[in-house]
Amino acid sequence: MKRRDFSLRCGAALAASAGVLPTAGAQTTVPVQGKKPELGTDYLQLDKRAAVEAPAGKIEVVEFFWYSCPHCSAFEPTFEAWSKSVPKDVLVRRVPIAFRDDFAPQQRLFYALEAMGLLEQLHRKVFAAIHLEKQNLAKSEAIVDWVVKQGVDKAKFLEHYNSFSVSTKTSRATQLQNAYKVEGVPALGVGGRFYTDGSLAKSMERSLQVVEFLIAQVRSGR
């Protein structure tokens, strides 16, 4: 789904709950097995390279996501398992997107949890709270209340949530999302050079196959 359609539809969904209608990762087409990924069909190459945080010798893979996206929630277990199996020269990181200003609280949530070392403990629980328990975690007040219920110190969380460091990271996240020209989520960027998603790859599962192909391309210097 194109970014404009995504923005219009998810606005209505957020008003009703914390959910969102189909995005780029919503495709359920059976993956095309054994077919070599093709530029312009299965993935795109950026006109201008995006910034990477991976050190020299590492290939960065970025997952763009939104906590209120049901397809991101469904994809998370698969992506998490995949990310733990990548070669040593691959650095995987998640980047929360903000197609509109009201996405920013969940961006802050992610980076505050990261700063506190709580992502491993609470990242999946955020998805579960929104999509299984049907909690609306779109606004800061609800986010803080939920975090406190998880046993996190309120003052410490707010210190990080409202910090300059987290503000800087949210700005960089939005800049990176724009550099990759993300049209919907979940989506994947490779090496600051390539982009794919469920619409291009025909499914999110196949998108990981495309990413592995692109990692090989970056590794070989192509």
Side-chain angles (χ1 to χ4, degrees), residues 172-222:
R172 289 178 179 172
T174 303
Q175 289 170 5
L176 190 65
Q177 145 201 323
N178 292 334
Y180 271 103
K181 300 179 182 179
V182 176
E183 289 294 317
V185 287
L188 299 158
V190 181
R193 297 168 55 187
F194 302 110
Y195 170 89
T196 191
D197 58 28
S199 294
L200 289 165
K202 310 303 184 293
S203 75
M204 285 311 300
E205 288 74 16
R206 187 169 184 269
S207 72
L208 292 176
Q209 297 174 25
V210 174
V211 166
E212 290 174 353
F213 169 81
L214 294 173
I215 288 171
Q217 296 296 296
V218 175
R219 188 181 289 125
S220 66
R222 297 178 183 176

Side-chain angles (χ1 to χ4, degrees), residues 48-118:
K48 182 180 179 180
R49 291 196 179 190
V52 298
E53 293 186 2
K58 295 278 188 178
I59 301 168
E60 181 173 278
V61 174
V62 178
E63 183 216 15
F64 295 97
F65 78 97
W66 182 36
Y67 276 127
S68 288
C69 165
H71 310 295
C72 297
S73 179
F75 181 54
E76 176 57 29
T78 300
F79 181 75
E80 182 179 14
W82 179 85
S83 68
K84 292 179 179 179
S85 68
V86 298
K88 292 182 179 180
D89 66 340
V90 176
L91 177 67
V92 178
R93 67 187 182 101
R94 294 173 173 84
V95 171
I97 58 92
F99 288 154
R100 301 193 312 265
D101 290 343
D102 58 356
F103 286 27
Q106 290 187 358
Q107 280 185 312
R108 286 184 170 272
L109 167 61
F110 176 83
Y111 286 118
L113 293 179
E114 180 183 63
M116 299 179 75
L118 294 174

Side-chain angles (χ1 to χ4, degrees), residues 134-205:
K134 305 302 180 183
Q135 297 188 48
N136 189 333
L137 301 185
K139 296 183 178 181
S140 296
E141 295 80 2
I143 287 171
V144 173
D145 288 345
W146 181 84
V147 169
V148 171
K149 289 178 181 178
Q150 309 313 305
V152 179
D153 182 88
K154 182 176 181 178
K156 289 183 179 178
F157 177 75
L158 285 172
E159 180 181 352
H160 288 286
Y161 187 80
N162 296 317
S163 69
F164 176 76
S165 175
V166 164
S167 294
T168 299
K169 287 182 177 181
T170 60
S171 295
R172 289 178 179 172
T174 303
Q175 289 170 5
L176 190 65
Q177 145 201 323
N178 292 334
Y180 271 103
K181 300 179 182 179
V182 176
E183 289 294 317
V185 287
L188 299 158
V190 181
R193 297 168 55 187
F194 302 110
Y195 170 89
T196 191
D197 58 28
S199 294
L200 289 165
K202 310 303 184 293
S203 75
M204 285 311 300
E205 288 74 16

